[in-house]
Amino acid sequence: MLLMEPLLAGRGIAMLPIFTIEEQLAKGKVKRLLADYPTDAVSLHVVYPQNRHLSPKVRIFVDLMVEHFADK
């Protein structure tokens, strides 16, 4: 990820989705700033060819994405 290298090197701050830095947060390599600052909601779309013969791998991937990123 383009912003990860300078962030981990301590050369600034970045606004990133939590899921992209969960591991670094847990290890204490980065810390969260402005946690109470409101941000815009972002949509995530999975785009794939729509046909009758969707491969099982793609179907499983889509289902996992929906499960992981669904509004809770």
Side-chain angles (χ1 to χ4, degrees):
M1 175 181 285
L2 181 65
L3 297 176
M4 190 63 72
E5 186 177 325
L7 181 66
L8 292 175
R11 292 185 281 168
I13 63 173
M15 187 167 145
L16 299 167
I18 291 294
F19 71 88
T20 64
I21 59 168
E22 285 174 326
E23 184 178 334
Q24 289 80 10
L25 281 168
K27 291 179 178 180
K29 292 183 177 183
V30 298
K31 62 180 172 178
R32 192 168 180 191
L33 303 176
L34 305 172
D36 296 329
Y37 187 78
T39 58
D40 295 334
V42 177
S43 297
L44 178 65
H45 301 274
V46 177
V47 180
Y48 56 92
Q50 191 173 18
N51 59 36
R52 291 178 290 153
H53 304 291
L54 189 62
S55 85
K57 289 179 183 179
V58 173
R59 178 79 263 156
I60 289 169
F61 174 75
V62 170
D63 291 344
L64 286 171
M65 294 293 286
V66 169
E67 180 182 328
H68 185 76
F69 292 106
D71 290 335
K72 297 181 181 183

